[in-house]
Amino acid sequence: MSIRIQKTFEALFELEEVRGLFRESLPTGFDAEEEAAFRQRIASLRAIVADLEAGTGTPKVTKIAGTLDVRSREEEYINIHPIQAAGRLTTEARKAIISYGDGYSTCDACRKPFRLDKITKPGIAEFHEELAKWLNMDQARVVPGARRGFQAVAGTLVGKGDSVIVSALAHYTEFLAVENAGGIIREVPLNAKNIVTGEATAQKIEEVRRETGKLPVLVMIDHFDYQFANEHEIKEIGKVAHQYDIPFLYNGAYTVGIQPVDGKKIGADFVVGSGHKSMASVAPSGVLAMTDEFALKALRTTAMVGDLTKRKFGIKEVELLGCTLMGGTLLSMIASFPAVKARTLKWDDEVKRSNFFIDRLLRIGGSKVLSEYPRKHTLTKIDTTGSFDTVAKTHKRRGFYFSDELSSRGIVGEFAGATRTWKLNTYGLNEKQIRYLADVFTEIAEKYEIPVAK
Ligand SMILES: *Cc1c(COP(=O)(O)O)cnc(C)c1O
């Protein structure tokens, strides 16, 4: 680790030590012993900051709690990990978790009727309203991951033996949400270009009707799938679902938070997004938005009464088990939200940079793109069997030679050892970084005498 990054962490940790002193002292201030400890910590902090500024010194703190390594991946490297790119925190989100990391930190000013989305200080209620408006839906709730959004919807709409339409590229969490509700997955096949079409969705619905005598109870489709990040015919699919009067869940795990999403325009009854994948938020976080029509069902409140105590729990929502993200997760979402909203408006630039990189990769002889091309997303599945894998065959490190070459140049996030088909995500890389990334791939190709077209 660069000594400056190391010293940045040490300084942050030292300040946390100072913070700990405040927490252990009386509200009236330090006693003599605490004051001495405070001065000692500050002196140590000054030394760390001096090293930080000069780039000198040696690592002093390498573990947290004696066991955990300091994670400096995002400071030290360009990270092209397929699922991590758009979940990197903003600086404001990192400040929020420093400040709101304590357990139920959202609950300082929770008042009757005691529900997370009603809290006004901090502005959680307002955030919920803004979230719904931003997605152009009527209601929004925060959930611990997109998967919990699927689960809440499936728990509402899917009964035992009911069929649910998903795509042949559906995420495993969609399978699990349906399974958990006792439903049956029915997959829409892909066309020759690995796209899910409205027409194929209609055919699948008909097939289910023919075979079971019943219509599916939910259509749940990813706008961009996780395997190729191809764009599927989401609007047409929404239309088809409505023609059959089947509720439509738009899975925006790879869109909400990185590109504009207009739920009404898409014709979605539910919009689901992932906070830790695409909204620069701490895991597990996500959003479940819906129309008022479906809020009546999916956000139904508890009706249960205790037989002994006759207790009832008012307006707690059953599918959400009352409250969801009660601490730093939610505050990180809120802190990132202004930046997230702004960045969705620059999606075209992200796609341009994605294509810039892919074009450069394609100049390396034998490289292929398995995703649709030109790219409409920053996540891409590539095939380097004909380029980088040809070297792996004879290299003593096998496929790992490629990871070694990348990491020694400050690139991480590729699937270690994979040189055939693998995914990368360029989301969030600026102009300078994307050029650097492309140059690194070219440089490695040239080093191993893989032909590169000019
Ligand atoms: C990542 C992903 C999910 C799961 O998101 P979580 O927020 O981790 O639950 C669901 N669907 C798709 C298409 C994904 O890419």
Side-chain angles (χ1 to χ4, degrees):
M1 192 187 317
S2 113
I3 195 67
R4 276 192 155 161
I5 295 171
Q6 170 70 32
K7 291 296 163 186
T8 299
F9 278 103
E10 287 182 15
L12 288 165
F13 295 165
E14 199 60 37
L15 278 169
E16 285 295 339
E17 294 288 350
V18 170
R19 193 178 174 193
L21 293 175
F22 288 113
R23 290 179 171 222
E24 283 154 23
S25 68
L26 290 179
T28 48
F30 291 149
D31 62 23
E33 209 174 304
E34 289 158 351
E35 181 66 25
F38 173 76
R39 285 175 190 272
Q40 206 171 13
R41 290 288 179 193
I42 295 295
S44 155
L45 178 63
R46 278 185 205 284
I48 296 167
V49 170
D51 273 340
L52 169 60
E53 187 173 26
T56 54
T58 52
K60 296 258 163 57
V61 182
T62 56
K63 298 279 183 194
I64 300 164
T67 53
L68 303 172
D69 290 328
V70 174
R71 184 176 184 268
S72 56
R73 216 173 162 78
E74 305 298 349
E75 288 75 20
E76 283 191 88
Y77 299 98
I78 288 175
N79 183 3
I80 55 172
H81 195 288
I83 67 175
Q84 289 181 332
R88 266 193 294 268
L89 298 185
T90 59
T91 300
E92 294 308 307
R94 293 197 304 280
K95 290 180 193 171
I97 58 168
I98 288 177
S99 182
Y100 282 87
D102 292 307
Y104 285 115
S105 63
T106 52
C107 310
D108 297 338
C110 184
R111 305 277 179 268
K112 257 189 164 165
F114 303 122
R115 205 173 72 198
L116 182 71
D117 61 293
K118 303 280 188 196
I119 292 172
T120 54
K121 197 171 174 284
I124 296 168
E126 192 188 344
F127 175 64
H128 278 77
E129 275 166 34
E130 282 178 22
L131 259 183
K133 204 165 72 189
W134 176 61
L135 295 170
N136 197 16
M137 296 297 277
D138 301 322
Q139 299 276 342
R141 294 291 184 272
V142 293
V143 286
R147 64 196 69 199
R148 294 291 182 175
F150 311 148
Q151 187 184 37
V153 174
T156 301
L157 300 177
V158 181
K160 210 162 172 49
D162 286 341
S163 304
V164 175
I165 300 284
V166 300
S167 108
L169 295 171
H171 196 256
Y172 78 92
T173 54
E174 297 172 70
F175 273 57
L176 268 52
V178 171
E179 185 170 358
N180 188 52
I184 293 163
I185 284 282
R186 300 301 304 262
E187 298 168 277
V188 182
L190 309 174
N191 70 11
K193 293 178 169 166
N194 289 330
I195 305 287
V196 182
T197 64
E199 203 185 314
T201 305
Q203 282 169 6
K204 192 72 191 193
I205 292 171
E206 285 296 343
E207 183 187 312
V208 170
R209 174 148 71 180
R210 262 197 323 275
E211 284 177 16
T212 68
K214 284 197 308 189
L215 282 173
V217 295
L218 176 67
V219 172
M220 171 159 52
I221 302 282
D222 322 340
H223 188 175
F224 285 85
D225 67 89
Y226 75 100
Q227 298 191 48
F228 299 103
N230 286 351
E231 183 171 26
H232 304 288
E233 290 186 4
I234 212 72
K235 253 172 133 173
E236 292 80 356
I237 292 166
K239 204 180 268 169
V240 165
H242 286 159
Q243 278 164 0
Y244 287 94
D245 216 14
I246 303 171
F248 172 48
L249 184 154
Y250 167 95
N251 180 357
Y254 268 115
T255 56
V256 172
I258 59 174
Q259 54 177 283
V261 171
D262 183 329
K264 293 260 166 78
K265 204 159 133 195
I266 294 158
D269 299 299
F270 299 95
V271 171
V272 173
S274 173
H276 47 264
K277 184 178 268 157
S278 297
M279 298 173 78
S281 305
V282 171
S285 58
V287 56
L288 166 64
M290 63 195 82
T291 58
D292 279 331
E293 183 193 346
F294 282 96
L296 291 172
K297 294 177 187 162
L299 299 180
R300 68 195 176 282
T301 53
T302 173
M304 194 65 76
V305 184
D307 68 328
L308 207 59
T309 62
K310 302 290 179 255
R311 287 176 307 151
K312 294 185 289 192
F313 293 95
I315 64 160
K316 302 283 198 210
E317 290 162 344
V318 176
E319 287 294 347
L320 305 181
L321 298 178
C323 299
T324 53
L325 315 183
M326 308 102 169
T329 41
L330 176 53
L331 270 295
S332 73
M333 275 184 107
I334 297 177
S336 279
F337 193 49
V340 161
K341 275 200 287 195
R343 77 188 194 178
T344 60
L345 304 178
K346 302 219 165 131
W347 174 243
D348 289 349
D349 295 338
E350 292 286 345
V351 173
K352 244 180 246 158
R353 287 193 284 271
S354 168
N355 275 303
F356 170 84
F357 172 76
I358 294 299
D359 289 344
R360 288 279 307 269
L361 176 79
L362 288 175
R363 287 196 222 160
I364 299 171
S367 303
K368 287 189 204 140
V369 174
L370 301 177
S371 303
E372 62 184 339
Y373 175 82
R375 299 298 302 126
K376 296 182 191 165
H377 205 280
T378 56
L379 170 67
T380 302
K381 186 164 190 178
I382 60 176
D383 183 350
T384 52
T385 310
S387 54
F388 294 110
D389 190 57
T390 59
V391 178
K393 286 198 177 71
T394 54
H395 201 284
K396 63 178 188 304
R397 290 273 294 148
R398 294 283 157 181
F400 289 97
Y401 92 92
F402 190 57
S403 315
D404 297 343
E405 295 289 359
L406 286 175
S407 66
S408 70
R409 290 168 176 82
I411 311 291
V412 292
E414 88 297 342
F415 191 77
T419 42
R420 291 188 187 144
T421 62
W422 53 290
K423 296 188 282 188
L424 58 87
N425 196 340
T426 60
Y427 190 79
L429 301 187
N430 61 33
E431 203 70 34
K432 192 166 88 174
Q433 290 169 322
I434 203 87
R435 279 179 200 283
Y436 178 83
L437 182 69
D439 289 345
V440 161
F441 275 67
T442 305
E443 198 180 300
I444 298 171
E446 284 171 345
K447 177 172 170 184
Y448 290 96
E449 293 171 353
I450 302 167
V452 180
K454 286 285 168 247

